């Protein structure tokens, strides 16, 4: 499996309540939007890339990415974004058997994230993979078999499945561990205080 043959989905479909509304990913950090930073890190790691976001897609026009709204209504959470990415990949990237997912509120994600998820899947013969740091799994930073799309849609529509870990528990899940020194690479900017802390980490040179 090569990372070039993996589609990617950027998950930006949430309501950002803890940030006070609006798009968390468009908040500025170090002179650039968080989304701009994440796209720059993610682009070299995947092939076709889609942005999962609801509402007017024009606000993301500057990024030059296709935008796909949730295929399950009701702001159903990150699983809806993963399903959206899977179904988009089946149509627009049929040669990609795998989908990598990325939250768009974590500005310091690793440049080798996908490669390490791939290695974990191949090492364990798994169906899925997710990142882990400091003992905490981050299922939104995951690698998913695209051919599980129908199973996921069925679970979401017929079973009202919403929890990512409840669905991944049905499959062989591999985990890729990441160090948290000097900074947890999956630090997320959910709240204004988090954004201020991210600015501080950049100011003291712990991250770029």
């Amino acid at each position: 499996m090569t990372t070039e043959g993996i589609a990617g989905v950027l998950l930006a479909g949430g309501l950002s309540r803890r940030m006070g509304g609006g798009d968390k990913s468009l908040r500025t950090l170090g002179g650039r939007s968080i989304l701009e930073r994440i796209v720059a890190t993610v682009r070299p790691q995947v092939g076709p890339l889609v942005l999962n976001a609801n509402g007017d897609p024009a606000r993301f026009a500057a990024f030059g990415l296709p935008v796909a709204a949730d295929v399950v209504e009701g702001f159903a959470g990150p699983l809806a974004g993963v399903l959206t990415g899977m179904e988009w990949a089946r149509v627009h990237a049929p040669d990609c058997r795998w989908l990598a997912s990325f939250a768009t509120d974590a500005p310091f994600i690793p440049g080798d994230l996908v490669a390490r998820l791939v290695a974990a899947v191949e090492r364990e013969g798994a169906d899925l993979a997710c990142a882990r740091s400091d003992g905490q799994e981050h299922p939104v930073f995951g690698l998913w078999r695209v051919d599980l799309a129908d199973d996921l849609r069925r679970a979401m529509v017929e079973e009202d499945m919403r929890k990512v870990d409840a669905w991944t528990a049905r499959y062989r899940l591999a985990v890729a561990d990441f160090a948290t020194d000097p900074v947890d690479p999956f630090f997320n900017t959910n709240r204004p205080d988090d954004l201020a802390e991210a600015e501080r980490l950049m100011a003291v040179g712990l991250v770029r």
Side-chain angles (χ1 to χ4, degrees), residues 104-116:
T104 54
D105 60 0
F108 309 134
I109 58 176
D112 62 349
L113 173 59
V114 174
R116 291 174 66 176

Side-chain angles (χ1 to χ4, degrees), residues 23 29 63 86 111 156 184:
D23 294 293
L29 176 62
F63 296 94
M86 287 177 167
M156 295 199 71
D184 188 333

Side-chain angles (χ1 to χ4, degrees), residues 144-194:
W144 316 76
R145 275 176 37 201
V146 173
D147 64 3
L148 294 177
D150 291 340
D151 291 349
L152 179 53
R153 173 173 279 279
R154 193 175 305 112
M156 295 199 71
V157 173
E158 298 179 9
E159 303 174 43
D160 200 33
M161 177 77 71
R162 295 296 181 265
K163 292 187 176 180
V164 180
D165 54 0
W167 191 71
T168 59
R170 300 180 175 185
Y171 302 91
R172 291 172 295 174
L173 176 68
V175 175
D177 278 297
F178 291 82
T180 57
D181 182 21
V183 174
D184 188 333
F186 304 104
F187 173 92
N188 57 53
T189 52
N190 275 323
R191 304 173 179 83
D193 287 351
D194 298 327

Side-chain angles (χ1 to χ4, degrees), residues 86-98:
M86 287 177 167
E87 295 191 347
W88 181 89
R90 286 205 300 196
V91 174
H92 299 282
D95 293 335
C96 294
R97 294 180 51 247
W98 295 85

Side-chain angles (χ1 to χ4, degrees), residues 14 40-41 66 69 86 101 118 123 139 147 172 186 199 203 205:
T41 302
M86 287 177 167
S101 62
V118 167
R123 181 174 63 247
D147 64 3
R172 291 172 295 174
F186 304 104
E199 289 279 11

